[in-house]
CSV table of all heavy atoms in Angstrom, one decimal:
chain,number,residue,atom,x,y,z
A,7,ALA,N,-6.8,-12.9,-38.2
A,7,ALA,CA,-5.6,-12.2,-37.8
A,7,ALA,C,-5.0,-11.5,-39.1
A,7,ALA,O,-5.2,-12.1,-40.2
A,7,ALA,CB,-4.5,-13.1,-37.3
A,18,SER,N,5.8,-13.7,-32.3
A,18,SER,CA,4.5,-14.3,-31.8
A,18,SER,C,3.4,-13.3,-31.6
A,18,SER,O,2.7,-13.3,-30.6
A,18,SER,CB,4.8,-15.0,-30.5
A,18,SER,OG,5.7,-16.1,-30.7
A,26,LYS,N,-15.7,-11.3,-35.5
A,26,LYS,CA,-17.1,-11.2,-36.0
A,26,LYS,C,-17.9,-12.2,-35.3
A,26,LYS,O,-17.4,-13.3,-34.9
A,26,LYS,CB,-17.2,-11.3,-37.5
A,26,LYS,CG,-16.6,-10.3,-38.3
A,26,LYS,CD,-16.8,-10.6,-39.8
A,26,LYS,CE,-16.2,-9.5,-40.6
A,26,LYS,NZ,-16.3,-9.8,-42.1
A,27,ASN,N,-19.2,-11.9,-35.0
A,27,ASN,CA,-20.1,-12.9,-34.5
A,27,ASN,C,-19.7,-13.5,-33.1
A,27,ASN,O,-19.9,-14.6,-32.9
A,27,ASN,CB,-20.4,-14.1,-35.5
A,27,ASN,CG,-20.8,-13.6,-36.8
A,27,ASN,OD1,-21.7,-12.7,-36.9
A,27,ASN,ND2,-20.3,-14.1,-37.9
A,32,LEU,N,-14.4,-10.9,-22.7
A,32,LEU,CA,-13.9,-10.9,-21.3
A,32,LEU,C,-12.6,-10.0,-21.3
A,32,LEU,O,-11.7,-10.1,-22.0
A,32,LEU,CB,-13.4,-12.3,-21.0
A,32,LEU,CG,-12.9,-12.6,-19.6
A,32,LEU,CD1,-14.0,-12.4,-18.5
A,32,LEU,CD2,-12.3,-14.0,-19.5
A,42,GLU,N,-2.6,-17.9,-4.5
A,42,GLU,CA,-4.0,-17.9,-4.2
A,42,GLU,C,-4.4,-17.3,-2.9
A,42,GLU,O,-5.5,-17.0,-2.6
A,42,GLU,CB,-4.6,-19.4,-4.2
A,42,GLU,CG,-3.9,-20.3,-3.1
A,42,GLU,CD,-2.6,-20.9,-3.6
A,42,GLU,OE1,-2.2,-20.7,-4.7
A,42,GLU,OE2,-2.0,-21.6,-2.7
A,43,ASN,N,-3.4,-17.0,-2.1
A,43,ASN,CA,-3.5,-16.3,-0.8
A,43,ASN,C,-3.3,-14.8,-0.9
A,43,ASN,O,-3.3,-14.0,0.1
A,43,ASN,CB,-2.7,-16.9,0.3
A,43,ASN,CG,-3.0,-18.3,0.6
A,43,ASN,OD1,-4.2,-18.6,0.8
A,43,ASN,ND2,-2.0,-19.2,0.6
A,46,SER,N,2.4,-11.8,-3.1
A,46,SER,CA,3.2,-11.5,-4.3
A,46,SER,C,4.6,-12.3,-4.2
A,46,SER,O,5.2,-12.4,-3.2
A,46,SER,CB,3.6,-10.0,-4.4
A,46,SER,OG,2.4,-9.2,-4.5
A,50,GLU,N,12.5,-15.1,-9.3
A,50,GLU,CA,13.1,-14.6,-10.5
A,50,GLU,C,12.0,-14.4,-11.6
A,50,GLU,O,10.9,-14.9,-11.5
A,50,GLU,CB,14.2,-15.5,-11.0
A,50,GLU,CG,13.7,-16.9,-11.4
A,50,GLU,CD,14.7,-17.7,-12.1
A,50,GLU,OE1,15.5,-17.2,-12.8
A,50,GLU,OE2,14.5,-18.9,-12.0
A,65,VAL,N,-8.0,-17.5,-14.8
A,65,VAL,CA,-9.1,-16.4,-14.9
A,65,VAL,C,-9.9,-16.7,-16.1
A,65,VAL,O,-11.1,-16.7,-16.1
A,65,VAL,CB,-8.5,-15.0,-14.9
A,65,VAL,CG1,-9.5,-14.0,-15.3
A,65,VAL,CG2,-7.9,-14.7,-13.5
A,67,THR,N,-10.3,-19.5,-18.1
A,67,THR,CA,-11.0,-20.8,-18.1
A,67,THR,C,-12.1,-20.8,-17.0
A,67,THR,O,-13.2,-21.3,-17.3
A,67,THR,CB,-10.1,-22.0,-18.0
A,67,THR,OG1,-9.4,-21.9,-16.8
A,67,THR,CG2,-9.2,-22.1,-19.2
A,69,SER,N,-13.8,-18.4,-16.1
A,69,SER,CA,-14.9,-17.5,-16.6
A,69,SER,C,-15.7,-18.1,-17.7
A,69,SER,O,-16.5,-17.4,-18.3
A,69,SER,CB,-14.2,-16.1,-17.0
A,69,SER,OG,-13.6,-15.5,-15.9
A,78,ARG,N,-6.1,-9.8,-27.6
A,78,ARG,CA,-5.2,-8.7,-27.3
A,78,ARG,C,-4.5,-9.1,-26.0
A,78,ARG,O,-5.1,-9.6,-25.1
A,78,ARG,CB,-6.1,-7.4,-27.0
A,78,ARG,CG,-5.2,-6.2,-26.5
A,78,ARG,CD,-5.1,-5.3,-27.7
A,78,ARG,NE,-4.3,-4.1,-27.3
A,78,ARG,CZ,-3.2,-3.8,-27.9
A,78,ARG,NH1,-2.7,-4.5,-28.9
A,78,ARG,NH2,-2.5,-2.7,-27.5
A,81,ILE,N,1.7,-6.8,-22.1
A,81,ILE,CA,2.7,-7.3,-21.2
A,81,ILE,C,3.4,-6.1,-20.6
A,81,ILE,O,3.9,-5.2,-21.3
A,81,ILE,CB,3.8,-8.1,-21.9
A,81,ILE,CG1,3.1,-9.3,-22.6
A,81,ILE,CG2,4.8,-8.6,-20.9
A,81,ILE,CD1,4.1,-10.1,-23.5
A,84,THR,N,9.1,-4.9,-15.5
A,84,THR,CA,10.0,-4.0,-15.0
A,84,THR,C,11.4,-4.0,-15.7
A,84,THR,O,12.2,-3.2,-15.5
A,84,THR,CB,10.2,-4.2,-13.5
A,84,THR,OG1,10.6,-5.6,-13.3
A,84,THR,CG2,8.9,-4.0,-12.7
A,88,GLU,N,15.4,-8.5,-18.8
A,88,GLU,CA,15.3,-9.7,-18.0
A,88,GLU,C,14.2,-10.6,-18.5
A,88,GLU,O,14.3,-11.8,-18.3
A,88,GLU,CB,15.0,-9.2,-16.5
A,88,GLU,CG,15.2,-10.2,-15.5
A,88,GLU,CD,14.9,-9.7,-14.1
A,88,GLU,OE1,14.9,-8.5,-13.9
A,88,GLU,OE2,14.6,-10.5,-13.2
A,94,PRO,N,10.4,-17.4,-24.9
A,94,PRO,CA,9.9,-18.7,-25.4
A,94,PRO,C,8.9,-19.4,-24.5
A,94,PRO,O,8.0,-20.1,-25.1
A,94,PRO,CB,11.2,-19.5,-25.5
A,94,PRO,CG,12.3,-18.5,-25.7
A,94,PRO,CD,11.8,-17.3,-24.9
A,101,ALA,N,1.4,-21.1,-28.5
A,101,ALA,CA,1.3,-22.1,-29.6
A,101,ALA,C,0.4,-23.3,-29.1
A,101,ALA,O,-0.4,-23.8,-29.9
A,101,ALA,CB,2.7,-22.7,-29.9
A,104,ASN,N,-3.0,-22.1,-29.6
A,104,ASN,CA,-3.3,-21.5,-30.9
A,104,ASN,C,-3.8,-20.1,-30.8
A,104,ASN,O,-4.7,-19.7,-31.4
A,104,ASN,CB,-4.3,-22.4,-31.7
A,104,ASN,CG,-4.3,-22.0,-33.2
A,104,ASN,OD1,-3.3,-21.6,-33.7
A,104,ASN,ND2,-5.5,-22.2,-33.8
A,107,GLN,N,-2.8,-13.0,-31.5
A,107,GLN,CA,-3.3,-11.8,-30.8
A,107,GLN,C,-2.5,-10.6,-31.2
A,107,GLN,O,-1.3,-10.7,-31.5
A,107,GLN,CB,-3.4,-12.0,-29.3
A,107,GLN,CG,-2.1,-11.7,-28.6
A,107,GLN,CD,-0.9,-12.5,-29.0
A,107,GLN,OE1,-1.0,-13.7,-29.2
A,107,GLN,NE2,0.3,-11.9,-29.1
A,112,LEU,N,5.3,-3.3,-22.6
A,112,LEU,CA,5.8,-2.0,-22.0
A,112,LEU,C,6.7,-2.3,-20.9
A,112,LEU,O,6.4,-3.1,-20.0
A,112,LEU,CB,4.6,-1.2,-21.5
A,112,LEU,CG,3.6,-0.7,-22.6
A,112,LEU,CD1,2.4,-0.1,-21.9
A,112,LEU,CD2,4.2,0.3,-23.5
A,121,LEU,N,6.6,-7.5,-7.8
A,121,LEU,CA,6.3,-8.2,-9.1
A,121,LEU,C,7.1,-7.6,-10.2
A,121,LEU,O,7.5,-6.4,-10.3
A,121,LEU,CB,4.8,-8.0,-9.4
A,121,LEU,CG,3.9,-8.7,-8.3
A,121,LEU,CD1,2.5,-8.3,-8.6
A,121,LEU,CD2,4.2,-10.2,-8.3
A,123,VAL,N,6.5,-8.9,-13.8
A,123,VAL,CA,5.8,-9.0,-15.1
A,123,VAL,C,4.3,-9.2,-14.8
A,123,VAL,O,3.9,-9.8,-13.8
A,123,VAL,CB,6.3,-10.2,-15.9
A,123,VAL,CG1,6.1,-11.5,-15.2
A,123,VAL,CG2,5.7,-10.2,-17.3
A,127,ALA,N,-5.2,-9.3,-20.7
A,127,ALA,CA,-5.8,-9.9,-21.9
A,127,ALA,C,-7.2,-9.5,-22.2
A,127,ALA,O,-8.0,-9.2,-21.2
A,127,ALA,CB,-5.7,-11.4,-21.9
A,130,VAL,N,-12.4,-13.2,-26.5
A,130,VAL,CA,-13.7,-13.3,-27.0
A,130,VAL,C,-14.1,-14.7,-27.2
A,130,VAL,O,-13.3,-15.6,-27.3
A,130,VAL,CB,-13.8,-12.5,-28.4
A,130,VAL,CG1,-13.6,-11.1,-28.2
A,130,VAL,CG2,-12.9,-13.1,-29.4
Side-chain angles (χ1 to χ4, degrees):
S18 297
K26 294 181 180 179
N27 303 318
L32 182 68
E42 64 276 355
N43 297 312
S46 297
E50 63 168 330
V65 167
T67 58
S69 297
R78 178 103 179 122
I81 302 171
T84 55
E88 194 178 341
N104 195 30
Q107 85 300 318
L112 297 170
L121 300 174
V123 62
V130 296

